[in-house]
Amino acid sequence: MTEINSVTTLTRDGDVAIVTLNSPPVNALSANVRDGLYEGFKQAIDSDAKAIVLICEGRTFIAGADITEFGGAMKGASLPDVQAMMENSPKPVVAAIHGTALGGGLEVALCAHYRVAVPSARLGLPEVNLGLLPGAGGTQRLPRIAGVEKALEMVTSGRHAPAKEALAMGLVDELVEEGKLKDGAVAFARKLVAENKPLVKVRENNAKLEEAKGKPEIFAEFRKKNARKFRGFLAPEYNIRCIEAAVNSNSFEEGLAVERKLFMELMTGPQSAAQRYYFFAERTAQKIPDVPDDTPTRPVKKVGVLGAGTMGGGIAMNFLNVGIPVTIVELKQDALDRGLATIRKNYERSRGAVPEQTEQRMSLLTGSLSMDDFADCDLIIEAVFERMDIKKDVFAKLDGIAKPGAILATNTSYLNIDEIASATKRPQDVIGLHFFSPANVMKLLEVIRADHTAKDVIATSMKLAKQIGKVAVLAGVCPGFIGNRMLSQRQREANKLVLEGAMPWDIDRVLYDFGFPMGPFAMSDLAGLDIGWVKENSKGETLRDVLCEMDRRGQKTGAGFYDYDENRTAKPSPVTEKIIQDFRAKKGINARTISDEEILERCIYPMINEGAKILEEGKAIRPSDIDVVWVNGYGWPVYRGGPMHYGDFVGPDKVLAKMKEFQGAMGDDFKPAALLEKLVAEGKKFSDLKA
Ligand code: 3HC
Ligand code: NAI
């Protein structure tokens, strides 16, 4: 065995040389890895071996470029040098793939002459999710192998294709038995030698590109079909242009030059910076300073859910989906029946629904009218009405029923979890698990740590969140926690702006153009204006009161802030406009013209300011956690990183100056957070705050 460097070895199996990478956690293409590959292949080529296999140790093949190196000075062998060394090798090179071959990793594999993989492997070019495009020939080689249409789909979705599909696409030449990758790859290499197989260079293979030549409609249609999905993002369009270049260029090099140029443009732009920031933000959110990774967790083999309403049903589905049995308890038989039927319907209507799977999941679900049936549950999640007296009553009862060590969780949106926990004699076992609606779909889970919550309860909740496919963020107890607390700032300003002179659709348009999937008023119409509205208590004091009294309760009644046609297409409503004007007249408000810029700043800056307060109160561990909440739970466009990243992008000084200006004109809704003042005084940004 030859040790090439700290992460690379060169070994022999008979006449086959094996270059092995071992650079945990994911064998990313750091300078060290590139050096090792370059030198390893050089020595293998110079040796008397007849073929060369590239394989990785650990959990995965190369998962891509090392994102932490982006933006820094270039060190070590370049990736193109490594690729050229492999592709121009006079001996056949075989890439042996397990885990994931992603981004630069797949681009390296595409410079091998052949690829083998185990069935569990997945291959993809996920750069688009980092606001990038494959910058090491991926956009030029993939369409040459898989064809233009498949390549377009792969690079713009960033999807990881399973090995079997990769085989069908031609990305993989042979599947080898799980767990026997090295032997399989060596045998494959030997066969190449014995049969004198050609050294296939993907770059030279133009047949699939020829098929797409002179057919610009392929690209036009693809753009049109995906316009909604790609809205606001630069990277998908740039990826498409690279594949267009592959088709329309006169040579591989010419296409590669386009790829290089567009890659650099993306790499140095704000969108990719935000998306790369976000990649790490999501992973950092899993790290809790005083709850280290090795904190023991409690086993969760059975879950109880109290309340089978909007949230309870969705919450239960998360656990059934991963094979954890659930007992769901309701007050009355009809509510229980309705709840169970909704769950079944949701399964039956979900995409790719298979009857056997629905039955299998439903068989894990037990409905009951008695909380006593929670006695053997390891975790019980309460999702009953949002009232403190009810929650406390329920928790006192749970305290008497749950087994020792069971975790007692509440899905409350706003209530004080310390107070809820005080109804039990085991506040250390009480935690908030704040799911978002629809709970079986939304990725975000706010995990709320109360004063006495035990560390292993937190560790268990974070781990469980991952198991059920959620992105968890730890928050402290405060009204609305992270997400809703900041949302209420935006909502307040949106409502005020309408009174002052803007129309709901003006505000919605500005926020939509910023990148949100919809604005606050369209959102209200979708959710229903009458959520929490009680006719008997309505005094016609708010716009919502008036609209609800007129039975304009949102999309479901065909009208709300907007008018809706039979296709549920929203149109600005003259009726709403008139109501707003009357409302202003009644309050003696003279409408003024409000600029888009003011709308945006009034809606967004108070959120950033509230985020600063959340941080100074220690209710979020770090600014990036807040961004994870907003991207996953509230549709904040990921290419803007999240509110705190955006605050840094605009500049904390600018945010502060505006808040002061607004405060002077409109009062203490805009009182700057002490932390914001401090950052600006010290010339710092949110990203300078370390947890
Ligand atoms: N560079 C640097 N670090 C990386 C990394 C990368 N490409 N990919 C993962 N990591 C780190 C993570 O930050 C994490 O670090 P931590 O343990 O300190 O938090 C660790 O590796 C493990 O990652 P995950 O927690 O995500 O592990 P999973 O097992 O859940 O997922 C994965 C593994 C599917 C490989 C996932 O990490 C992933 O999707 N990685 C990114 C892949 C990617 O985007 N590749 C393209 C990079 S850009 C590129 O290649 C440009 C080229 O075209 C020139
Ligand atoms: P819901 O009204 O749809 O469902 C509540 C259910 O709990 C009802 O079916 C009711 O019969 C049942 N229930 C009430 N008291 C009970 C008791 N003592 N025992 C058993 N069942 C009982 O309400 P929803 O929307 O599901 O909200 C539940 C909780 O989730 C609330 O705390 C709410 O704030 C929170 N939440 C709601 C979100 C939403 O978008 N709807 C989002 C996140 C949290």
Side-chain angles (χ1 to χ4, degrees):
M1 184 182 92
T2 313
E3 195 165 300
I4 302 290
N5 67 5
S6 58
V7 294
T8 321
T9 56
L10 181 62
T11 52
R12 281 291 280 267
D13 183 333
D15 49 6
V16 178
I18 303 171
V19 178
T20 305
L21 278 181
N22 187 7
S23 180
V26 294
N27 290 308
L29 290 159
S30 61
N32 223 2
V33 167
R34 296 193 304 269
D35 279 342
L37 282 174
Y38 186 84
E39 194 51 36
F41 271 98
K42 190 158 173 288
Q43 291 189 23
I45 291 169
D46 289 343
S47 75
D48 61 356
K50 295 220 168 66
I52 309 168
V53 165
L54 167 63
I55 195 165
C56 294
E57 297 264 349
R59 68 214 246 199
T60 178
F61 189 75
I62 305 167
D66 187 335
I67 310 168
T68 59
E69 281 188 358
F70 286 4
M74 179 63 196
K75 284 191 305 227
S78 77
L79 193 51
D81 285 346
V82 170
Q83 291 175 298
M85 173 77 77
M86 292 170 65
E87 203 167 41
N88 297 328
S89 158
K91 305 163 179 181
V93 174
V94 177
I97 300 169
H98 76 293
T100 46
L102 299 177
L106 180 54
E107 291 173 298
V108 163
L110 287 173
C111 290
H113 304 117
Y114 296 90
R115 287 152 296 280
V116 299
V118 289
S120 62
R122 288 176 302 138
L123 293 80
L125 294 172
E127 285 87 342
V128 70
N129 297 324
L130 300 170
L132 291 173
L133 54 87
T139 65
Q140 305 303 299
R141 287 190 178 87
L142 184 63
R144 282 176 160 84
I145 282 201
V148 165
E149 269 131 337
K150 199 83 198 173
L152 279 172
E153 187 266 318
M154 291 284 290
V155 295
T156 57
S157 70
R159 188 167 68 82
H160 305 174
K164 208 166 144 199
E165 186 190 342
L167 181 73
M169 264 192 263
L171 262 184
V172 164
D173 298 288
E174 192 171 277
L175 294 186
V176 302
E177 200 182 327
E178 204 71 53
K180 301 214 169 126
L181 183 58
K182 193 190 270 186
D183 290 348
V186 168
F188 183 86
R190 237 170 233 143
K191 202 168 67 185
L192 294 175
V193 175
E195 295 174 8
N196 207 8
K197 291 279 191 205
L199 304 180
V200 179
K201 292 187 189 175
V202 176
R203 60 187 287 158
E204 290 172 352
N205 191 347
N206 290 328
K208 294 221 161 122
L209 296 183
E210 292 300 330
E211 289 170 19
K213 269 214 160 72
K215 292 186 189 155
E217 64 276 11
I218 297 179
F219 297 96
E221 277 163 22
F222 187 76
R223 285 187 171 99
K224 199 164 150 221
K225 195 173 86 190
N226 292 288
R228 246 179 87 145
K229 201 163 91 197
F230 297 162
R231 181 178 72 93
F233 287 91
L234 276 183
E237 170 58 25
Y238 276 42
N239 272 279
I240 297 171
R241 283 189 207 163
C242 286
I243 295 186
E244 261 174 336
V247 174
N248 298 327
S249 298
N250 294 315
S251 67
F252 178 79
E253 275 70 25
E254 204 181 302
L256 206 58
V258 173
E259 183 191 86
R260 189 98 292 254
K261 177 170 169 288
L262 294 183
F263 178 82
M264 286 317 292
E265 250 182 67
L266 288 177
M267 173 66 110
T268 50
Q271 288 206 352
S272 178
Q275 287 177 260
R276 280 179 277 137
Y277 157 85
Y278 185 76
F279 175 85
F280 289 111
E282 227 177 65
R283 285 158 178 82
T284 307
Q286 307 319 305
K287 295 175 183 141
I288 302 164
D290 68 334
V291 184
D293 277 354
D294 57 0
T295 306
T297 54
R298 302 185 187 181
V300 176
K301 299 213 168 69
K302 188 162 184 202
V303 171
V305 175
L306 186 64
T310 309
M311 294 306 290
I315 292 170
M317 290 174 75
N318 288 300
F319 297 98
L320 302 175
N321 293 348
V322 296
I324 300 178
V326 175
T327 297
I328 193 161
V329 172
E330 254 296 344
L331 281 176
K332 297 211 176 79
Q333 190 64 44
D334 61 338
L336 180 62
D337 291 344
R338 230 178 305 127
L340 295 176
T342 303
I343 295 177
R344 173 174 285 281
K345 201 172 68 202
N346 283 340
Y347 276 132
E348 285 168 351
R349 284 190 188 164
S350 63
R351 237 183 25 189
V354 184
E356 298 78 57
Q357 195 180 52
T358 299
E359 291 317 318
Q360 186 264 332
R361 287 174 177 171
M362 290 305 291
S363 73
L364 294 172
L365 180 63
T366 312
S368 163
L369 296 178
S370 167
M371 281 167 66
D372 289 339
D373 289 333
F374 286 147
D376 60 347
C377 290
D378 305 299
L379 161 68
I380 301 163
I381 305 172
E382 163 279 309
V384 304
F385 304 133
E386 184 78 343
R387 271 181 40 193
M388 184 54 92
D389 55 341
I390 301 183
K391 304 260 188 208
K392 282 173 92 167
D393 176 56
V394 154
F395 270 74
K397 287 186 181 134
L398 286 176
D399 193 18
I401 294 167
K403 67 184 184 187
I407 297 174
L408 308 182
T410 171
N411 184 48
T412 180
S413 308
Y414 290 92
L415 298 175
N416 185 323
I417 300 177
D418 287 307
E419 192 177 338
I420 296 176
S422 74
T424 73
K425 287 186 282 307
R426 41 172 127 174
Q428 74 280 3
D429 296 338
V430 177
I431 194 164
L433 293 180
H434 185 216
F435 289 82
F436 288 71
S437 179
N440 54 318
V441 176
M442 294 293 290
K443 295 280 280 182
L444 179 64
L445 180 68
E446 280 182 331
V447 175
I448 320 294
R449 171 183 208 163
D451 278 351
H452 301 287
T453 309
K455 290 183 183 177
D456 63 344
V457 170
I458 296 171
T460 306
S461 301
M462 299 299 286
K463 189 175 133 212
L464 195 60
K466 193 163 183 184
Q467 193 187 342
I468 61 174
K470 302 288 175 198
V471 175
V473 175
L474 191 73
V477 175
C478 57
F481 314 121
I482 295 174
N484 284 341
R485 177 168 165 181
M486 287 167 70
L487 180 68
S488 62
Q489 295 286 317
R490 189 182 84 175
Q491 195 60 49
R492 184 195 64 224
E493 288 311 308
N495 292 339
K496 277 162 60 185
L497 283 162
V498 168
L499 280 183
E500 290 169 34
M503 280 294 151
W505 32 94
D506 298 326
I507 296 164
D508 281 355
R509 175 181 42 79
V510 169
L511 290 170
Y512 179 81
D513 288 346
F514 183 78
F516 283 102
M518 61 177 81
F521 297 100
M523 188 68 214
S524 299
D525 272 1
L526 179 66
L529 298 190
D530 55 354
I531 289 187
W533 178 80
V534 184
K535 191 170 183 180
E536 291 67 36
N537 301 340
S538 178
K539 299 196 185 77
E541 272 174 1
T542 63
L543 201 49
R544 174 174 96 150
D545 281 353
V546 178
L547 289 168
C548 284
E549 283 168 16
M550 294 174 71
D551 225 21
R552 295 181 65 97
R553 300 188 182 194
Q555 286 197 16
K556 61 185 173 189
T557 55
F561 287 104
Y562 293 83
D563 290 336
Y564 293 89
D565 63 17
E566 56 284 356
N567 301 321
R568 293 209 168 187
T569 308
K571 280 194 313 270
S573 165
V575 180
T576 305
E577 190 160 345
K578 174 82 175 39
I579 299 171
I580 292 170
Q581 282 159 352
D582 291 350
F583 220 82
R584 288 177 191 150
K586 211 165 74 187
K587 295 203 171 227
I589 298 166
N590 279 326
R592 64 185 173 93
T593 307
I594 301 179
S595 69
D596 287 359
E597 192 185 4
E598 180 179 344
I599 292 176
L600 190 67
E601 290 168 346
R602 290 265 305 271
C603 288
I604 303 286
Y605 291 2
M607 283 174 48
I608 299 170
N609 192 57
E610 195 66 24
K613 289 185 189 167
I614 288 171
L615 287 166
E616 74 194 28
E617 291 167 21
K619 303 299 180 190
I621 296 174
R622 44 182 94 77
S624 59
D625 285 7
I626 295 176
D627 289 338
V628 174
V629 165
W630 270 82
V631 169
N632 272 295
Y634 298 84
W636 183 285
V638 64
Y639 57 80
R640 293 190 200 275
M644 308 319 281
H645 179 84
Y646 184 70
D648 277 353
F649 173 74
V650 174
D653 54 339
K654 296 223 174 59
V655 176
L656 177 63
K658 264 295 168 200
M659 289 299 287
K660 285 185 170 162
E661 183 192 317
F662 290 149
Q663 187 187 23
M666 290 171 277
D668 277 350
D669 281 349
F670 299 94
K671 189 170 188 292
L675 177 65
L676 182 60
E677 302 248 27
K678 183 165 172 281
L679 284 180
V680 173
E682 293 173 358
K684 288 186 178 158
K685 296 187 158 205
F686 288 111
S687 59
D688 293 320
L689 299 170
K690 293 276 172 273

